[in-house]
Amino acid sequence: MSVTIGVPREVFPGEKRVATVPEVVEKLIKLGFAVAVESGAGDAANFGDDAYRAAGAEVVAGAANLWSRADIILKVRAPSADEVSLIKAGQTLISFIWPAQNPELMQQIAARKATVLAIDALPRMLSRAQKMDALTSMAGVAGYRAVIEAANAFGRFFNGQITAAGKIPPAKVFIAGAGVAGLAAIGTAAGLGAIVRANDTRAEVADQVVSLGGEFVKVDYEEEGGGGGGYAKVMSEGFQQAQREMYAKQAKEVDIIITTALIPGKPAPKLITADMVTSMKPGSVIVDMAAEQGGNCELTEPGQVVVKHGVTIVGYTDLVSRLAKQSSTLYASNLLRLTEELCKTKDGIINVNMDDDAIRGLTVIKDGTISWPAPPLKLPAPPAPKAAMPPPPPAHGHGAGAPASAKKVAIMFGFAAVLFGLIGYGAPSAFLAHFTVFVLACFVGYMVVWNVTPALHTPLMSVTNAISSIIAIGALVQISPPLAAGMTRPEALIQGLAGLGIALTAINMFGGFAVTQRMLAMFRK
């Protein structure tokens, strides 16, 4: 008898997401599972019952019926009190749980002798865990949606325009916190044409902010803010004071503020004070993405949109649900990757392997025993710093990338001039003309290629192509006369060398253009 995965309808008020989608149902069945979905579970995310049936799932009427027949439950939100009463012994629940914030819920589920994998407890620093990282997936959706809500409430263009009616300045957006949600908001706002500024307690994200088109605003206070697991830590009072001063300055200048700051297990830090709101221009907008944890703004009302002191404050707690179809698809993909890790044999039987670092971190209750928090990960020791390399000795000779000194160049040219004079003294005039061209070609080749550092050879392809074309023209001139039956040996040799020169320069020219085009393609979107 195959193991059944059950997907109930979410009962949390306003929650529109569903834990799996028809596209993923087909893949779960290929892993050996049977899939049962509660009727109407995907309606709010635009996934109808018929779509689940077409994918091979059984549509079950009623939550109690679904929970009773499922061996594994996939959910989005933590179970309600009514849902906890439906959990049976030996059942496995995979969902957002937030064990630190819900100790009573943990005790209630443990009493049901179930196993719980909290998707929010995933050790995010493990590289192979990224495919299962639902927190990142949901944060990216929320950051995008926050900008859309801001644009809706702002009442003006984000991008600057010059029209017949006058000039419209671009909107100025400040984003507090440059985690996953913040970076998604930066990219979206910059894509809409706004002037974007951002700040974060972690200095290492500055490059990421700039790469997405934003400007990183630094707090004038030196302190590292990384708290591990992709979150920030609680900063010192000195840093917080400097940060408040910076926020107060930005509040007076910008049109939109989007706050994303969260500290795991703690209420959201208050970054935007009532005085800062008062100082903002009338018609400005604040989108508080931390509203569900109390909010980063003092005047935020969770779940509501309010206007205070002429500033619209958006405190929605369901930003992810406002893009239910997209967020459900991403979340379902994360759970599919987790299921693949639990069922590597693809026979429909899961193995909650407590020796696997990723699975151990996720498992907060194992067969009725609370196993959270997981022990610290045993990360590999950082490699020992390499000894400083001694500076390379000054180059001798004329190897690539080692330009000759002025004295050596002068001696070389003097020797070449004497040799050229001796050769020209007794040589025919026709030979002397060709020899002069040969010497000049050698000189140009040395200065353009041999005497240039190797790192610059590829960017110089276009220049060398131009020189190659000159060589090709010269060779064409040499072979332009028709071949005569009585051609002397020197003439035949010249035409042969000219033909070889055309062939080689053609290879160099076309190859150079091909390489240049491939390089340019790397920088095109």
Side-chain angles (χ1 to χ4, degrees):
M1 184 176 179
S2 59
V3 173
T4 299
I5 292 178
V7 181
R9 185 171 187 168
E10 297 296 324
V11 298
F12 189 87
E15 182 57 70
K16 299 178 181 179
R17 289 173 290 174
V18 61
T20 198
V21 299
E23 178 186 350
V24 173
V25 166
E26 298 176 355
K27 298 175 182 178
L28 291 172
I29 292 173
K30 288 180 181 179
L31 289 175
F33 298 101
V35 180
V37 180
E38 183 181 351
S39 179
D43 287 350
N46 296 317
F47 297 110
D49 291 346
D50 290 340
Y52 284 107
R53 288 192 187 98
E58 178 188 4
V59 177
V60 177
N65 192 14
L66 177 88
W67 284 77
S68 65
R69 67 171 60 189
D71 304 292
I72 303 169
I73 295 291
L74 302 184
K75 273 185 55 61
V76 179
R77 293 276 187 170
S80 65
D82 291 338
E83 288 176 320
V84 170
S85 66
L86 298 175
I87 297 175
K88 61 184 181 181
Q91 203 167 44
T92 300
L93 170 66
I94 303 175
S95 173
F96 281 101
I97 297 295
W98 306 107
Q101 290 92 328
N102 297 303
E104 293 183 4
L105 175 64
M106 292 280 287
Q107 294 291 343
Q108 292 169 2
I109 299 176
R112 309 293 295 186
K113 304 298 180 184
T115 295
V116 178
L117 278 69
I119 198 69
D120 49 274
L122 180 75
R124 302 170 76 186
M125 65 286 298
L126 295 176
S127 57
R128 70 182 185 88
Q130 293 176 3
K131 60 185 179 182
M132 302 178 276
D133 190 358
L135 283 172
T136 294
S137 299
M138 298 302 100
V141 174
Y144 173 89
R145 185 67 192 196
V147 176
I148 302 303
E149 295 294 343
N152 178 60
F154 184 44
R156 258 180 48 200
F157 292 149
F158 263 46
N159 63 325
Q161 295 186 17
I162 298 178
T163 69
K167 181 179 179 182
I168 302 173
K172 295 180 180 179
V173 180
F174 177 72
I175 296 172
V180 176
L183 292 173
I186 292 167
T188 305
L192 290 175
I195 297 172
V196 185
R197 304 169 185 170
N199 167 261
D200 196 278
T201 56
R202 298 159 293 181
E204 65 269 16
V205 304
D207 291 338
Q208 300 175 39
V209 171
V210 174
S211 69
L212 289 170
E215 173 193 350
F216 187 78
V217 182
K218 193 174 183 298
V219 176
D220 190 17
Y221 193 97
E222 294 298 329
E223 183 177 350
E224 176 52 43
Y231 291 99
K233 69 175 185 180
V234 179
M235 306 300 288
S236 67
E237 181 56 38
F239 181 92
Q240 292 181 35
Q241 177 60 33
Q243 186 182 54
R244 283 191 291 269
E245 293 174 359
M246 182 270 291
Y247 283 155
K249 180 181 178 182
Q250 293 298 322
K252 295 176 182 178
E253 297 178 2
V254 302
D255 304 298
I256 296 168
I257 296 178
I258 298 175
T259 66
T260 72
L262 287 173
I263 298 171
K266 295 180 180 293
K270 299 299 180 185
L271 304 178
I272 308 300
T273 64
D275 290 340
M276 295 179 194
V277 175
T278 304
S279 70
M280 295 181 72
K281 292 174 283 189
S284 298
V285 177
I286 297 174
V287 179
D288 195 338
M289 294 183 63
E292 192 168 359
Q293 281 76 38
N296 294 138
C297 175
E298 285 185 348
L299 302 182
T300 296
E301 295 184 15
Q304 304 295 322
V305 177
V306 296
V307 179
K308 297 185 178 181
H309 307 291
V311 177
T312 302
I313 304 173
V314 180
Y316 289 143
T317 58
D318 60 346
L319 288 172
V320 179
S321 279
R322 288 171 178 264
L323 286 171
K325 187 166 187 175
Q326 180 69 77
S327 54
S328 296
T329 302
L330 291 173
Y331 184 66
S333 297
N334 294 137
L335 294 191
L336 171 65
R337 301 309 172 198
L338 171 56
T339 307
E340 289 174 342
E341 291 292 318
L342 294 170
C343 182
K344 294 183 177 180
T345 54
K346 298 184 179 180
D347 57 359
I349 300 175
I350 65 170
N351 175 28
V352 182
N353 182 8
M354 300 296 275
D355 293 327
D356 184 310
D357 287 339
I359 302 303
R360 175 63 187 89
L362 284 166
T363 307
V364 295
I365 300 176
K366 181 70 163 66
D367 297 326
T369 302
I370 295 178
S371 56
W372 184 86
L377 291 176
K378 296 179 181 179
L379 299 176
K386 295 182 179 179
M389 296 295 290
H396 298 287
H398 303 291
S405 64
K407 182 178 180 181
K408 289 183 179 180
V409 171
I411 294 173
M412 216 167 68
F413 272 96
F415 178 76
V418 172
L419 180 62
F420 183 72
L422 292 175
I423 293 174
Y425 180 74
S429 58
F431 171 79
L432 191 60
H434 292 301
F435 186 71
T436 303
V437 174
F438 172 74
V439 171
L440 290 175
C442 291
F443 172 74
V444 171
Y446 172 81
M447 297 304 294
V448 171
V449 178
W450 195 256
N451 200 37
V452 175
T453 179
L456 298 178
H457 282 172
T458 303
L460 283 172
M461 277 293 185
S462 298
V463 179
T464 56
N465 284 338
I467 296 171
S468 296
S469 65
I470 296 172
I471 297 172
I473 292 171
L476 287 171
V477 171
Q478 293 298 328
I479 65 172
S480 57
L483 292 173
M487 183 181 294
T488 61
R489 181 172 295 179
E491 290 174 336
L493 179 61
I494 289 172
Q495 291 213 4
L497 290 174
L500 180 63
I502 290 175
L504 294 177
T505 52
I507 293 172
N508 184 51
M509 290 165 61
F510 287 105
F513 282 122
V515 171
T516 302
Q517 288 300 319
R518 291 185 66 181
M519 286 187 62
L520 293 175
M522 294 169 61
F523 298 96
R524 293 193 185 105
K525 293 184 179 179

